[in-house]
Amino acid sequence: MKHWNRYNPIGAEEKAAVNRVLDSGVLSKYIGAWHEDFNGGVEVNAFEHELAEYFGVPHAVVFNSLTSGLIAAMGAMGVQPGDEILVTPWSMSATATAILIWGGIPVFVDIEPDFYGIDPNRIVEKITRKTKGIIVADIFGHGARLDELRALADQHHLFLIEDVAQAPGIQLDGKFLGTWGDVGGFSLNYHKHIHTGEGGFCICHRDDIAMKMRLIRNHAESAVSGSPIDDLTNMVGFNFRLGEMEAAIGREQLKKLPMLLQQNQKKASRIIETLAGESWLVTTPVGKPGEHAYYVLPFRLTDDRITNSQLAEKLRERGVPGIVCGYVNIHRLPMYQQKIAFGPFPWAHSEPDHYHYDIGQFPIAETLHTKTFIGLLISMFDLNEDECTWIANQMIAAYQELSAEVQHE
Ligand SMILES: Cc1ncc(COP(=O)(O)O)c(C=O)c1O
């Protein structure tokens, strides 16, 4: 079986950055009180400044993970027990867990099958007097239908948070993903286009929201007196702080982001071009080149005689790397099926019978998961042109084999 090299964006620049921090002896500098070091050390501050500049926003706040960042964002937006937040079921679990932590109730909304984002046409029917916000995921590397979602959020006085874990540095209609929302959150974990081992950051426009996120990051309850925040809602602190070494690595990674994105987009283009004549599968209809980060190169099967798991098995036999068969349907996780998080809370706070996470409720996300979605995690492998062509040809051959088999049945 062929050996595949793992993608590795860490080089001499990151090593030098880590050595700079080690030489300084200051591996972290936060003080969890209102103090000149409340915002951390030189690398953290410089990284936040550079991120804000890159995205053209007033604020960037770094965290030890995006999970922490999303929790801080939900807290800063003022989510309280019993508040309903509309959320995509087609994302990593943290997108919805961030709601639960504050006692909010995730209300899932089905997705649309082109960009795999929350479907704007299904939002209004889910809005109640308890709805406070929407959290979308720009999944696999492409934006959700953000112009429509932004307009709906404004029209109904809801906040909009964007989970951009998988799409750093991508623009939609000339506007960076993450800036469509009131807060946009990015992951810097080991699996992402740019990484710091573990880490994440949130960008936002509003001073008060940025300050609240900084407080939640750093023991809010000890730091709030003296700070400009006088509304104590959710000023319950955590330790979500990113260290100086990770921030120093992040600064180098940010410089490489455009180049790394282009490399990954080249891999995707090669595979898509090779599959151009194949009508049994479709990929995301990307408007302009560069509008997809291809964290996962997504495909939807259109031949209903075959399923994603059958094709995945054939591809694995052929040694194709990074196969993603189906994707997370968050509502299917046991905690939602049994409605048990903090004991019976947060559901027991409201009307538990009012919230349903039954399997079958979200036909688009569920059919994609069980039957029609197959993706390639191309961002995790170092692939040259020939290897990309080989992968696409294996897909064609695997489909032909499967097609012949189902014909004979
Ligand atoms: C869509 C999405 N949201 C949130 C996260 C959580 O990010 P982190 O691992 O930095 O907490 C991930 C991580 O894989 C993700 O893919």
Side-chain angles (χ1 to χ4, degrees), residues 64-68 70 91-92 94-95 137 139 163-166 186-189 191-192 198-200 295 327:
N64 54 7
S65 70
L66 174 59
T67 302
S68 307
L70 291 175
S91 185
M92 194 252 173
T95 314
I139 211 74
D163 177 339
V164 205
Q166 302 181 0
F186 298 79
S187 174
L188 293 169
N189 78 25
H191 307 287
K192 298 300 184 286
E198 300 291 348
Y295 176 69
Y327 197 62

